[in-house]
Amino acid sequence: MGTRILTVEDDERIRTAVKLALEDEGWIVDEADNGEDALELFNRNPTDVVLIDIMLPGIDGFEVCRSIRRTSDVPIVMVTARADTHDVVAGLEAGADDYLTKPFAPKELSARIRALLRRVRSSDPGSAHVKLGDLEIVPDEGVVTRDGQEVHLTKTEFRLLVELASSPGRVFSREVLLERVWGYGYFGDGRLVDVHIRRLRTKVEVDPANPRHVVTVRGLGYKLQP
């Protein structure tokens, strides 16, 4: 089976351009012009990456993203017509791994998808088992527990936590985390890191507003408190 991409876009011109660009990469492309059809397609066909436009007729892109996230950790890229911080953050909070702002170059879209696919298909077997207080991280098994209870993380959240856990106490800048976790630096956005850190804290911290484990080092970045 080849790589399959689901693109959800109500503008036919954009949808056609995206389909052609992705097919040029040798990928199989499924298309939907609304959220309801997108969810039906997603449930019917195994998909490697999902591109979702925020503004859709019927249920919007945020709800499509949330619905997919309830059952899958497939990489999701939200597409927005505005670089508006609220839209970007809301998309990432809904469970997206990344976002793109229209208009975007097909080469940038393809590069981001390749980076997402590399992340999904690579593993980190050399990462050490880490236990910090009530938090336990077992990278080889893809497992994180808090007080003995398994915590469900998306692939991006898990990779972010494993990266921080690779050197407890070390401060990681946003730029380093973009490179190590997302697989790209120059076109990355620090908001990707900030929102995923916030989501991660809601899952691994007893009190996300006063984190014990995933700590901000003002002006420098983030660290996992040993």
Side-chain angles (χ1 to χ4, degrees), residues 6-198:
L6 172 59
T7 177
V8 191
E9 168 63 65
D10 63 328
D11 186 315
E12 187 176 356
R13 290 172 305 163
I14 295 174
R15 198 169 64 248
T16 300
V18 167
K19 178 181 173 70
L20 290 172
L22 299 181
E23 286 180 340
D24 278 348
E25 298 285 341
W27 298 326
I28 302 162
V29 181
D30 291 329
E31 302 173 88
D33 62 6
N34 63 74
E36 290 84 355
D37 288 352
L39 291 173
E40 185 180 333
L41 267 173
F42 181 80
N43 290 326
R44 198 165 65 226
N45 295 322
T47 300
D48 296 289
V49 177
V50 183
L51 307 177
I52 307 174
D53 186 45
I54 288 177
M55 301 302 291
L56 294 170
I59 61 174
D60 65 19
F62 299 124
E63 187 52 43
V64 175
C65 186
R66 282 190 287 267
S67 295
I68 290 173
R69 270 291 166 262
R70 290 185 193 112
T71 60
S72 172
D73 56 6
V74 64
I76 296 175
V77 180
M78 297 294 281
V79 180
T80 173
R82 300 180 296 173
D84 180 84
T85 295
H86 177 267
D87 274 2
V88 170
V89 171
L92 296 172
E93 291 283 9
D97 299 278
D98 196 1
Y99 78 95
L100 267 175
T101 304
K102 297 178 186 176
F104 52 81
K107 285 188 181 298
E108 181 180 2
L109 172 62
S110 298
R112 290 189 183 223
I113 290 175
R114 280 196 299 272
L116 287 168
L117 290 170
R118 278 197 303 272
R119 287 198 299 115
V120 169
R121 291 164 182 171
S122 67
S123 58
D124 299 297
S127 299
H129 180 154
V130 176
K131 191 168 190 337
L132 301 167
D134 62 349
L135 189 65
E136 189 168 7
I137 306 157
V138 190
D140 287 350
E141 298 176 15
V143 172
V144 176
T145 61
R146 194 184 81 195
D147 275 339
Q149 299 295 310
E150 187 167 349
V151 178
H152 177 73
L153 303 178
T154 66
K155 281 189 170 76
T156 300
E157 291 161 354
F158 180 75
R159 287 182 69 95
L160 181 57
L161 183 59
V162 168
E163 190 60 47
L164 293 170
S166 67
S167 297
R170 174 188 164 185
V171 179
F172 290 82
S173 69
R174 289 171 178 80
E175 292 74 20
V176 166
L177 291 171
L178 280 169
E179 179 62 39
R180 301 263 185 93
V181 177
W182 278 264
Y184 41 72
Y186 74 94
F187 53 60
D189 182 333
R191 287 178 293 187
L192 283 175
V193 179
D194 296 339
V195 175
H196 277 85
I197 288 285
R198 193 156 66 240

